[in-house]
Every structure is written in C-alpha cells, then in structure tokens.
Amino acid sequence: MIVVMKVGSPETEINRISQEFSDWGLTPEKIVGKHKVVIGLVGETASLDPLQIQEISPWIETVLRVEQPFKRASLEFHHGEYSDVVVPTPAGVVTFGKNHPVVLVAGPCSVENEEMIIETARRVKAAGAKFLRGGAYKPRTSPYAFQGHGESALGLLAAAREATGLGIITEVMDTADLEKIAEVADVVQVGARNMQNFSLLKKVGAQPKPVLLKRGMSATISEWLMAAEYILAAGNPNVILCERGIRTFDREYARNTLDLAVLPVLRHLTHLPIMIDPSHGTGKAEYVPTMAMASVAAGCDSLMIEVHPNPAKALSDGPQSLTPAAFDELVPQLAVIGRAVKRWWDVPVLTH
Ligand code: PEP
Ligand code: MN
C-alpha cells in the first residue's frame, strides 16, 4: 500500500503518520520524490481500508494499493519515479538510471592474470567503459572447469582499478566471500545461477555496495523482481537488474535467448535501472554487436560486454568475448544510436 502525501506536507506530520503505521505493526518507508513524499507500507495490509487510512491526516492526498507481489521494487511504490543508482568510482561518479547516459561495463569473463586484466582495463576504458567486469569466483557448470583465481584475482582487480580509475564489478557466489569482495568491488554481482539464493540476497542486501542482480536463466520476470525485493527489503536500495538471456527450446545457434522485451515490460513494473548483457545473452561474439545496438535502441540503462585480449585462449567464455579492437569498433556504433535516443556520453578519442 502507498500513502501519497500532499505537496508541502510538514515533516513532523510525515513522521507522526509513519510512527502510527509502525505502531500498527507495518513497516513504513519514506520515499522522497521530486514533487511529493510517499510513504510505502510493507506488511499485512490486505485487511486495511484505504479510506480509513486517509482519515488519519488531512495531509494525506491518496492511499493506493500496490497490486504486485513485489512492493519496494515496484514502480507504483516509487510513485512512478525511476530511481538512480549512483556509484562513486576513482574516475568520478557514475549514475545508472533511465534519465542518464548508457553506462558501459566491459571486461573478461574471468580475471586470468595481471597483464591481461590491466591491458583489458586500459583498452575498455580508452574506448569509453566506466566499469571493468571480471570474475574472481566463477560459477561453472563443471567442477573440473576453471573456477576463478579467487582472492588473488580480487587483488588484480584492485590493481586494475588503481591503474585506470575504472569502477569494478565482480561476482559473489558465497556469503563467506562477500566482505572481501565488497572491499574491492564498486558493484557486487549476483549471477544468474544465484538469483534465488535467498540467503545470499539477504546478505548483499545488508551491506552498502550496490548490487547487480542477473536474471536467472529460467526465471520469470516476477521471480526476478521478487529476488530484487529481497535485497531491497534487507535495506539496500541500490539494485541494478541485468538481463543475460534465458533458456528456451532453441539453443541450436545461440547460447541463450536474449529477452529484450524486458526493457518495455520492466519500465512498467519497476523503478530499478536495467542493464543488458548481450555476451551471455547470445554466447557468440559475432552476435554481440547487433544485440548491443538493439539494447541501446530499446532504452537500456547499461550494457555489460565481455572483452578479452585473446578470446581463443580465454579460460572461460572465449567464444562470446570481443577483442579490444572489436570493442573499439562497436562503441562508436553504439554512440550513434545512443545519441539518437539521447542517452550517450561523449566518447573519448582513442589514444592507442
Ligand atoms: C558472468 O557474468 O560471467 C556470468 C557467469 O554470468 P551469468 O551469471 O549471467 O551466467
Ligand atoms: Mn562469462
């Protein structure tokens, strides 16, 4: 349920009403919009009568039921205002959100060694990326496949951050590793395979770094938003959703089916920023540029693209990784579309 306050409502009255809701056993959440303050109510609201609530203060404009099972993640709960996820990086503040330029996130699937991660970081930064991605802990289908270098790779990510000023996005698989990952990561990634690992979601929700929540490979949009709800309910308001392809009947030519329809669908359902990952979404480097361009045209807030200096030798996801040169070629093409939809940074001039 949401309680919309009238413009100019006194702070004391908002606090008094919130206290009253708390006394009823509900959890009130104050959301300050551009024009109005909204109090979101989470808890057992089914038996409450909106008209009765309206009577507790003359400053209440209206009381609405949130029909969706996800509350804090819903656009209604935010009274129609899209949220920004603001991330400080060494090179400056980067904002993910519907009213901001598309944020480019690029880098290898896994952090393999110092030379490759620093080289990749420099190249993607020069091409226009704001974040370096790279796994230290890798969720692999086979226990015999490369699992990531773990803690030592976190040190290499920190070195790449230091060398380039890029923000770092890296995945957490185990709650036991969260603290050391969050020391290095500017955004903590929860991968597709852990989208419904509820104890992990609660833990990332209870720490301060923004969270990138990838869609589970067989997750419906509501399951995905309920997973985001876990993080928001645990107290972390900074969640970015990432579509990375889902599993459909057809895996003959592409690894996954990249569901770009989530862009218009999620815009109706949620205020959270949306990233698209065409690398895992297609599984093949040759398909990545087309789907990256389509994502920008369809209004994504951010793109995650795997880039590796030598994809043929990559320890994971080589077939879907672009070379730095291919990434250099792609970014200006994205920029043309990005500018057309008024969502682009000024692309730096390449210096190498
Ligand atoms: C990744 O980002 O490298 C990854 C493992 O992604 P996903 O969880 O989407 O498969
Ligand atoms: Mn990968």
Side-chain angles (χ1 to χ4, degrees), residues 12-330:
T12 46
E13 187 64 358
I14 294 169
N15 292 341
R16 185 190 70 78
I17 298 170
S18 299
Q19 186 54 52
E20 186 152 349
F21 292 138
S22 298
D23 294 344
W24 296 356
L26 300 171
T27 310
E29 188 160 305
K30 189 169 119 188
I31 297 151
V32 183
K34 273 196 204 81
H35 308 292
K36 285 176 188 167
V37 169
V38 167
I39 304 171
L41 290 179
V42 183
E44 272 309 313
T45 55
S47 58
L48 296 176
D49 177 358
L51 289 176
Q52 252 174 341
I53 294 179
Q54 182 119 25
E55 274 166 20
I56 70 174
S57 167
W59 287 99
I60 294 178
E61 186 176 283
T62 177
V63 180
L64 304 166
R65 262 189 204 292
V66 177
E67 301 299 337
Q68 313 288 359
F70 41 89
K71 308 292 177 197
R72 289 174 167 93
S74 83
L75 184 59
E76 284 171 280
F77 202 82
H78 257 235
H79 204 49
E81 280 184 26
Y82 293 97
S83 54
D84 291 342
V85 172
V86 180
V87 189
T89 73
V93 167
V94 183
T95 305
F96 293 82
K98 185 176 175 287
N99 301 310
H100 295 272
V102 176
V103 178
L104 289 182
V105 177
C109 182
S110 314
V111 179
E112 297 175 5
N113 58 60
E114 182 163 3
E115 196 194 339
M116 71 79 79
I117 197 68
I118 304 274
E119 181 194 340
T120 312
R122 288 196 202 285
R123 291 292 301 264
V124 299
K125 159 120 195 219
K130 301 287 178 197
F131 286 86
L132 175 70
R133 60 139 295 139
Y137 299 88
K138 294 304 303 176
R140 305 305 300 279
T141 304
S142 165
Y144 309 118
F146 175 59
Q147 303 286 306
H149 289 307
E151 206 165 340
S152 65
L154 292 178
L156 300 182
L157 285 170
R161 185 179 191 271
E162 176 92 21
T164 59
L166 288 172
I168 298 294
I169 301 187
T170 195
E171 177 166 353
V172 59
M173 295 202 297
D174 190 326
T175 54
D177 301 321
L178 179 58
E179 214 175 297
K180 54 180 183 274
I181 291 172
E183 267 173 35
V184 171
D186 298 283
V187 175
V188 175
Q189 175 173 323
V190 173
R193 290 157 190 81
N194 272 312
M195 189 206 83
Q196 283 189 319
N197 179 339
F198 299 117
S199 47
L200 182 61
L201 297 177
K202 286 180 193 166
K203 283 275 165 49
V204 295
Q207 58 79 56
K209 290 288 169 77
V211 179
L212 175 63
L213 179 65
K214 289 192 139 192
R215 182 182 185 181
M217 57 185 83
S218 303
T220 64
I221 287 175
S222 2
E223 287 165 342
W224 187 16
L225 290 172
M226 288 307 280
E229 189 80 11
Y230 264 89
I231 302 170
L232 300 171
N236 190 338
N238 294 309
V239 177
I240 302 160
L241 300 168
C242 179
E243 161 64 33
R244 46 77 73 205
I246 49 173
R247 204 166 262 198
T248 65
F249 60 90
D250 193 351
R251 303 188 72 203
E252 210 175 338
Y253 300 107
R255 178 178 178 183
N256 289 300
T257 298
L258 186 64
D259 183 8
L260 285 189
V262 299
L263 283 162
V265 172
L266 287 173
R267 290 293 189 219
H268 283 291
L269 296 176
T270 183
H271 55 91
L272 298 173
I274 310 163
M275 179 189 285
I276 304 288
D277 169 357
S279 304
H280 295 86
T282 62
K284 287 208 178 102
E286 62 195 288
Y287 304 151
V288 169
T290 310
M291 297 315 284
M293 285 189 266
S295 305
V296 174
C300 69
D301 304 324
S302 178
L303 276 176
M304 171 176 271
I305 296 180
E306 284 189 339
V307 176
H308 192 287
N310 187 355
K313 293 265 169 67
L315 296 179
S316 59
D317 286 348
Q320 68 195 32
S321 299
L322 298 188
T323 59
F327 188 64
D328 286 349
E329 217 177 288
L330 171 61

